[in-house]
Amino acid sequence: MNVFDRLESSVCSYARSFPVTFGKAQGATLWDTRGRAYIDFLAGAGTLNYGHNHPLLKEALVEYIAGDGIAHGLDFHTEAKETFLESLDARIFAPRGLHYVVQFTGPTGTNAVEAALKIARNVTGRQNVVAFTNGFHGVSLGAAAATGNDLHRSAAGFPLLGVTRALFDAYLGPDIDTIDVLDRLLEDRSSGVDAPAAAIVETVQGEGGLNVASARWLQRLESLCRRHGMLLIVDDIQAGCGRTGTFFSFERIGISPDIVTLSKSLSGYGLPLAVVLMKPEFDQWKPGEHNGTFRGNNHAFVTARAALEHFWRDDALTREVDRKAELLADGFAHIAARHEGVVVKGRGMMQGLAFGSGALAETVARQAFSRGLVIETSGAEGQVLKCLCPLVIDDAELTRALEIIERATQVALEVPERLPNPERPLKKVG
Amino acid sequence: MNVFDRLESSVCSYARSFPVTFGKAQGATLWDTRGRAYIDFLAGAGTLNYGHNHPLLKEALVEYIAGDGIAHGLDFHTEAKETFLESLDARIFAPRGLHYVVQFTGPTGTNAVEAALKIARNVTGRQNVVAFTNGFHGVSLGAAAATGNDLHRSAAGFPLLGVTRALFDAYLGPDIDTIDVLDRLLEDRSSGVDAPAAAIVETVQGEGGLNVASARWLQRLESLCRRHGMLLIVDDIQAGCGRTGTFFSFERIGISPDIVTLSKSLSGYGLPLAVVLMKPEFDQWKPGEHNGTFRGNNHAFVTARAALEHFWRDDALTREVDRKAELLADGFAHIAARHEGVVVKGRGMMQGLAFGSGALAETVARQAFSRGLVIETSGAEGQVLKCLCPLVIDDAELTRALEIIERATQVALEVPERLPNPERPLKKVG
Amino acid sequence: MNVFDRLESSVCSYARSFPVTFGKAQGATLWDTRGRAYIDFLAGAGTLNYGHNHPLLKEALVEYIAGDGIAHGLDFHTEAKETFLESLDARIFAPRGLHYVVQFTGPTGTNAVEAALKIARNVTGRQNVVAFTNGFHGVSLGAAAATGNDLHRSAAGFPLLGVTRALFDAYLGPDIDTIDVLDRLLEDRSSGVDAPAAAIVETVQGEGGLNVASARWLQRLESLCRRHGMLLIVDDIQAGCGRTGTFFSFERIGISPDIVTLSKSLSGYGLPLAVVLMKPEFDQWKPGEHNGTFRGNNHAFVTARAALEHFWRDDALTREVDRKAELLADGFAHIAARHEGVVVKGRGMMQGLAFGSGALAETVARQAFSRGLVIETSGAEGQVLKCLCPLVIDDAELTRALEIIERATQVALEVPERLPNPERPLKKVG
Amino acid sequence: MNVFDRLESSVCSYARSFPVTFGKAQGATLWDTRGRAYIDFLAGAGTLNYGHNHPLLKEALVEYIAGDGIAHGLDFHTEAKETFLESLDARIFAPRGLHYVVQFTGPTGTNAVEAALKIARNVTGRQNVVAFTNGFHGVSLGAAAATGNDLHRSAAGFPLLGVTRALFDAYLGPDIDTIDVLDRLLEDRSSGVDAPAAAIVETVQGEGGLNVASARWLQRLESLCRRHGMLLIVDDIQAGCGRTGTFFSFERIGISPDIVTLSKSLSGYGLPLAVVLMKPEFDQWKPGEHNGTFRGNNHAFVTARAALEHFWRDDALTREVDRKAELLADGFAHIAARHEGVVVKGRGMMQGLAFGSGALAETVARQAFSRGLVIETSGAEGQVLKCLCPLVIDDAELTRALEIIERATQVALEVPERLPNPERPLKKVG
């Protein structure tokens, strides 16, 4: 029995979908230990926007390590953090006219979400928080309460409290503006919905199935938050760092979140890093109130800085992503046009195909994997095949991947239900 | 205004105690950017048991990075994880006759604790968990409920639920066995304490003030857990990885925890890593139920493996730690003997001095820093000066540090209350 | 200072609206201690369906007391309980083909609701419960979580947990069937709405503002409950006991609730009494699990039995209520037709007028009181003037009361805003 | 099948212990429908301190009903309430120098407790409440959280939250003052016990097994409450109204509770009534925040007033109770002296005998019942035979009852384990 079977918990999920052992990686390519190459359309569940082991970032990191730069720094002031903050300011905040204070939390998305919820609750003195259908915000107890997926919810073994569920954009179809529903509940003094501290929202729900919130809906959400004394928290952990073209997913939408959570691709190299950005007036933390051993992961600061300096000094990456997003949209539209019931979803380089069932999407993903493409599903039933390829993927790989998906779809739909429909499709979430 | 003042949140605490910018580090030495060296008696709040940037670990890491080894692997099977698991098995589990299944959680201690609590609740079908006075288990909502410190508790902005507080060893003095109190409550059908899923305990409470649970008390706790159908969770995040001499802090005590959480020094290099070890019968996870983007931090697997292979192939480190622990004990006893009201606390290389007040301990720490020693306080009032130096510190540095502490204590006690007694001493927790 | 001002808590609300001291009462008439008579359109917030001190009930009660019948019987078998149960069976259950088991809870509505929620949670093993916007189910902690009104919610001083709020019939206007919204959320595995143990609903929301659930909506709710493994709880505390014509408010709707809560008019005489009716398969209580000192209020059993025997041996009362409900509807329609923005609400003898604001409705109520009519407002803003007169009121009184309301409305609307619009209109709830 | 078997829920408990149907009652005597008389040592679980159907109270009640006095008055000012308040002031508050504001809650003890907890939480802005081992405060969700018994706790089907459990007097034996334990936890900033809004305590725990809090312990509890900014709530529902000799159970102890809950014997006639007494500065209720249909049970006001006027215009009843309490103490001591392992517990006319097991106490109770005495058990295991006879019982009955108990004990102990030891002894609580 191999060491994984012997020693690793049954909680693993990706390892089941891709039953090989990976060794090396570069750009958009993964190699297993037998030397087989795969195009990576998962990219660490959106953590590798700049691809695996980007040479410039690698160089900066190796140099830092070689020079005995501090690896672990708690919340110390360190050179690596200083230069990261300077780059964040110069490359991201300043050009966008943003004024945020940065909190380094434990280096995981869920930890950033936990901190964001605490801020909102403490600043407003309210305990309720609005989260949306199909949202995913993490699985620690506070964040899990905001997460919609019942696999994660029921795993808590304790009721998930303090969150009122609201309806995401278009949840009831195109004719009902779900902001009106929330507004009605908040206006109504006997609706039974307690005044919320905040609304936490993803502009594109990655795990929820590539559901896109429209600009107008997000603008109305912001306005509702202002009207009801709530903070607006954008969880940009998966959609941020350029995934939708701009650095923040909300830049073109014209909203001004009070709090933003970032993680995943922030370090640029797949290293653990997470931050909460908050408007200065909400930085009411007392020293040490929210802490965590690894909030000073200086290796991540080094690669994060290098990524900011390389990719965000101009709008080249944004234009690149916009262009490839169109390629993806076209490619998916082409497939969808040929197969009834297949629908294109998402925006930017966070697009995919919704199939009629989780079993079908799963078959497509497995067929794709057998053809050398690592790709996953998302959505409540795992029914959405989701492309999260590196933004820096080259066009040839992108085209090749689309061909594989097309072929896999064809095979899956021609031989329907070749796989047993699992009573409970596995959810694989980054 | 420097970038930290401009951009970083007020939540920082260590940076206030040590108002310099650190750049490089090696072994037990930190250098600030102006080139001043400090002996590190904080060691990443116990995260750097093998010192900063240990050469062998560094070499393994740089080689891995240079070879484009996968950095970020979700829960993929990877070569780096495989070899780490093999080393964990060969160097830790096998020699100790342990049979644990390993869950890689999000790479922070609090995430491992969240997972451990979920396991216990799901396996037993009970919702209550016993945690102890002065315990520290993290600040995400589920873990924070188990944490005792009110700075962290009140920051939640929401009631912390699902935990019954029990009394740590000797909490009521030497004459009362606090296990009897808990036992009485659990035996009594109308005590109002609901049947617990588990007890979570640190064998030495680091943040709580270097409180040591006796072997007998821990044995009785284990027996109580068995009798009441509860799992025994040892949170070995700070006391594990050799800090008390043996790899696990409970090895010499003869208990067999059902679940163990590890993090901090596990990667050996200060890189984010956390695991839950559980007896195989409790590995009842469904795939993906507990997830997290960074649970496959392969860089950390590489350094963790190197650390296991280098430090744990024999008992040399254990003997080394035992020897230095005595040096520390002697040094501290020497100081305590000279100053009334100063008491030695802790065990292994997790020892320190309890002062009469947090203000006093704080003064000692500041005096020490001005003399080139980075050291922190812990305990409810910050009244305990805590040594968490690298286990690999050389004797000369250790001696020098003890001299600094002695001198700092002298100064602090001679000129009492030079610093204003803060109404609320800052807590700095890793 | 009178004894009320000196000694009674500021929590009183009705006493503020009707600042007199009442002494005697008979049928639909109240007299204050100065001998002034008032028509009672409040009737104990729906507790006096058979009027004050009904002669037949009085006779039975006095005879029972004179004969030293047991007053207080815990959950003993007593003669008074026995004959009450026999009447309940013969006059209510049998003719309607109902098979319910009866639980006598503490004699308040909120206590019956607490018991009903426990049953649903224990029977299903689920913790979540669906309650509706503008619902009122009581103010003890478990029931308050199901109650919508924020005055009562915020008074808890602790988060109200375990309830998911759903949208009552027509909450989003006539075009959206809110059952579809709930169904969508329950079908969706990542909606974030945990599987509920039950839905608790009033067929007509008395405190919520006389909102009427349509037959079709209730039928669809029942069907949704069946489909999702949830119990259907009808809280018939205010709408039951004939208030809408039939004994249960849901009789003509053709649904079969799993659990029904009854209180208010059940004793017939205004004496404290509350019961939970549950289908036999859900009677899984262990002895004593839910208790309460006054669950054997035998005086109430005596009057309740007399009321059942007198009023429910045939359909005379139902026909009477149907007839008077039309009188009310006509009278209110007449008023509404003359004043823009005034709308008739409710059904049966639970009807009223919605005004544009709580301040306006309050003015109407005060004008009515000054003309000898005791009537109250309900709804989120207190904007609905609510008629809850005794079912046995004679036509002359009914007509007189309608004339008073008409005149009061006229005065209030002619001299708008004579009363300051209170920032927070007082809610008065029975 | 009789109507009880057919229609009444399995939740009944007393009806199982006393499987007869009761009809009439007078003083300390109950008669079943077959005419058999029983001495009542249960007295409505302490609700009938003045005996069943006391002639003077009966007279007042019948006269009131005959004169069409208002039965149900919501929170109206009524003549009956007015005269009750005047008597409460004149007979209880004034002679004792007490200044309390009176809140009429829903007429059950649990409702009064719910209100008391809300007051404490709102006044202090804290959410945690301290309750004690073996306490019983009711079974609605908020009160149940304070109740210790696991039969009631587990029935909730939802976690019981917001309460920290502390140790009642002598819980750890005579050598440990449990106030010190609580004090230590509250002083300690990292104990994990959040600052409480209040402590709620019974001076004698009736359901908990007749555990008596010493004067010194209660005084220290009061002082601890003052020191920690907590309100002191005495739940005097069972021990109040003269049960221990004085009207309030704490009068001779010299403490001044901030809030007192009263119910059970307050109406004097077994009619539902409950009040919260609070110091005026804590009467911060907004109108209607806490409500309930039956908070104006005017019949109960009438009998309550008559009881106050008759029994509390001088200290005759107190002297009577003191005298009979000695008779009880002597009688029980006599029995205890003859049987090893039998211990006298309680104080005033709230005394009993602790047996080695619940099964044994149950046998004694059943033997007593077969000899014409209604008596119940209490305590975590039902191991305490509890005397709650009317205070007005005459000496002959008292003596007769003691003889029955003596004989029943003898039989039970001579023929041990004649009854199967139930795996889970039924708890019967009023």
Side-chain angles (χ1 to χ4, degrees), chain A residues 376-392:
Chain A
E376 261 297 354
T377 61
S378 72
E381 307 287 333
Q383 78 280 19
V384 179
L385 193 77
K386 179 170 67 163
C387 161
L388 282 175
C389 66
L391 310 181
V392 298

Side-chain angles (χ1 to χ4, degrees), chain A residues 63-82:
Chain A
E63 184 184 351
Y64 185 79
I65 296 172
D68 279 341
I70 283 180
H72 179 277
L74 295 166
D75 68 18
F76 287 166
H77 293 169
T78 64
E79 246 182 317
K81 193 200 275 187
E82 187 172 32

Side-chain angles (χ1 to χ4, degrees), chain D residues 349-366:
Chain D
M349 290 185 72
M350 197 170 175
Q351 293 188 62
L353 290 170
F355 290 88
S357 76
L360 197 51
E362 185 67 21
T363 307
V364 176
R366 293 193 198 173

